[in-house]
Amino acid sequence: MKGIMIEKPNVLKIVDLPMPELSETNDVLVKIRSTGICGSDVGIYHGTNAAATYPRIIGHEVVGIVEKVMPGVTRVKPGDRVIIDEVTSCGHCWPCLHGRGNVCDNLRVRGVHIDGGYREYVTVPAADCYLVPEDLSDADAVMIEPMTIAVQSCSRARLQPDDTLLLLGCGALGSSILKVARHSGARIIVADVVDEKLQEALQNGADAAVNTRREDLTEAVRALTDGHGSTVSIDAAGLPDSLMSLLQATGNAGRIVTMGFSNNPSPVTQFLITAKEMDIMGSRLHYRHFQDAIDMINAGKLSLEGSVSHTFPFLKAQEAFDFMDSRDPSIRKIALLYD
Ligand code: MN
Ligand code: ZN
């Protein structure tokens, strides 16, 4: 079978791989139908993802059909269409014992630390498979994974109905977070530098929008909140100055969730953290949130239809990554489709 391997930074190869074998008692064999291309996949391709090791079969947004299961597996059966949880954890370290397997001391993410889904077949434990809602296309179904990341950040933010959330960044990540956050009942202020993205956010449930190219973020947020500032803020922009901006725009006793993945230092002052008695929390990947995202889709609270803007045949991955690199403004999500 064929797979897409990033041999080393900037070298993408189509390689022949052995068929994976069902070796553990709870394994299932999945024939891949579609995979998403994530910003982090592009980072691995270009060598800018600090977590990645090479050579690597990438791909962590992975939808397929169960082809074979080990005897005794009851969670899924052959013919089921599933999405695969990319987070694998050891189960016995401190974070794992405290419900935080997404930051396991021995964390292995499929497509990052171990081989992922850009290949024709994978074997995974049945427990990592989640049934995909029937009326979702193979392409759109890959978007369930980014929604799990959004669910994680909203759960880290502990959103409550009396919160005013400041969501910084309305790109792929920010718009996914908005789709989840709007069900919390919190008031939502979005901020970005692109008017079209802010308009889209307002249509998708944001209550107010700030263009930080024209307006000072802190002043604008204060004006919208009787001078207090936001009660909770999520950084979906991940820029070097994001954290300092949010420390200023978030009010006393506030919370801030960071999602940036850059190694570059971000200048902040301790005074703002201490004086406002802030809680600052990271949000990484997700911990077992696939079912939450799927439940939201099945309940009609979340629509992923039409969220994929472009598809490429799996073996044209090079073209797809080159197109990603073009930063064409029409790109929302690119999915690879398999025969
Ligand atoms: Mn992703
Ligand atoms: Zn662990």
Side-chain angles (χ1 to χ4, degrees):
M1 68 167 189
K2 301 287 185 197
I4 307 294
M5 176 183 279
I6 305 301
E7 192 180 63
K8 57 188 179 185
N10 299 311
V11 179
L12 182 154
K13 282 194 173 158
I14 296 170
V15 292
D16 284 305
L17 299 166
M19 267 297 280
E21 310 237 330
L22 294 171
S23 52
E24 304 287 331
T25 52
N26 53 0
D27 271 355
V28 307
L29 177 71
V30 178
K31 185 178 198 303
I32 306 306
R33 296 289 305 159
S34 59
T35 51
I37 301 181
C38 182
S40 66
D41 295 316
V42 176
I44 297 172
Y45 173 45
H46 288 309
T48 57
N49 183 318
T53 51
Y54 302 88
R56 179 67 53 229
I57 303 289
I58 58 171
H60 62 272
E61 302 174 356
V62 183
V63 172
I65 307 276
V66 175
E67 186 142 304
K68 233 197 259 177
V69 305
M70 285 294 270
V73 166
T74 54
R75 183 180 169 82
V76 291
K77 57 182 189 309
D80 283 347
R81 191 168 59 138
V82 296
I83 187 159
I84 298 169
D85 194 336
E86 75 275 34
V87 176
T88 76
S89 48
C90 75
H92 52 70
C93 67
W94 198 92
C96 279
L97 293 174
H98 293 79
R100 307 279 294 275
N102 54 315
V103 285
C104 168
D105 289 345
N106 307 296
L107 180 69
R108 287 192 162 75
V109 179
R110 295 194 169 95
V112 181
H113 312 98
I114 55 175
D115 284 344
Y118 283 12
R119 46 182 161 157
E120 291 175 77
Y121 292 88
V122 295
T123 51
V124 293
D128 291 344
C129 295
Y130 292 83
L131 289 179
V132 170
E134 262 175 32
D135 35 10
L136 214 52
S137 70
D138 288 336
D140 288 336
V142 303
M143 279 300 293
I144 298 171
E145 190 278 338
M147 297 317 299
T148 66
I149 309 304
V151 172
Q152 179 77 14
S153 64
C154 290
S155 98
R156 295 287 288 152
R158 305 192 302 270
L159 290 182
Q160 297 296 319
D162 66 347
D163 274 319
T164 297
L165 167 66
L166 169 59
L167 179 56
L168 182 61
C170 297
L173 178 62
S175 49
S176 293
I177 294 171
L178 175 61
K179 285 181 175 182
V180 173
R182 66 183 176 187
H183 295 292
S184 67
R187 185 173 168 228
I188 303 174
I189 302 169
V190 290
D192 201 287
V193 291
V194 180
D195 280 326
E196 290 74 28
K197 290 184 179 174
L198 291 168
Q199 274 309 319
E200 205 175 299
L202 288 168
Q203 280 156 18
N204 284 328
D207 299 286
V210 178
N211 186 319
T212 52
R213 191 157 277 166
R214 288 194 299 271
E215 292 174 84
D216 179 79
L217 181 66
T218 305
E219 279 173 29
V221 171
R222 283 200 185 133
L224 288 162
T225 56
D226 290 329
H228 173 77
S230 57
T231 63
V232 55
S233 300
I234 299 178
D235 175 22
L239 299 168
D241 61 353
S242 290
L243 185 53
M244 190 60 184
S245 301
L246 293 182
L247 283 169
Q248 288 162 336
T250 309
N252 290 358
R255 289 109 63 204
I256 296 175
V257 175
T258 72
M259 303 184 76
F261 226 75
S262 167
N263 268 327
N264 296 327
S266 298
V268 296
T269 55
Q270 287 192 36
F271 175 75
L272 285 172
I273 302 172
T274 309
K276 294 181 170 183
E277 207 173 53
M278 294 283 204
D279 289 354
I280 298 177
M281 293 154 294
S283 183
R284 181 177 188 185
L285 299 162
H286 74 101
Y287 189 59
R288 294 186 180 163
H289 281 312
F290 270 100
Q291 199 57 53
D292 297 313
I294 290 166
D295 287 348
M296 287 182 76
I297 297 166
N298 286 331
K301 290 181 168 177
L302 185 62
S303 170
L304 300 183
E305 260 161 68
S307 41
V308 168
S309 55
H310 302 81
T311 61
F312 288 79
F314 150 66
L315 292 176
K316 299 262 175 169
Q318 182 71 60
E319 275 174 43
F321 275 77
D322 290 346
F323 185 57
M324 266 304 258
D325 282 344
S326 77
R327 293 177 180 270
D328 188 292
S330 68
I331 297 175
R332 286 289 181 278
K333 184 72 178 182
I334 299 179
L336 303 175
L337 298 180
Y338 298 58
D339 288 330

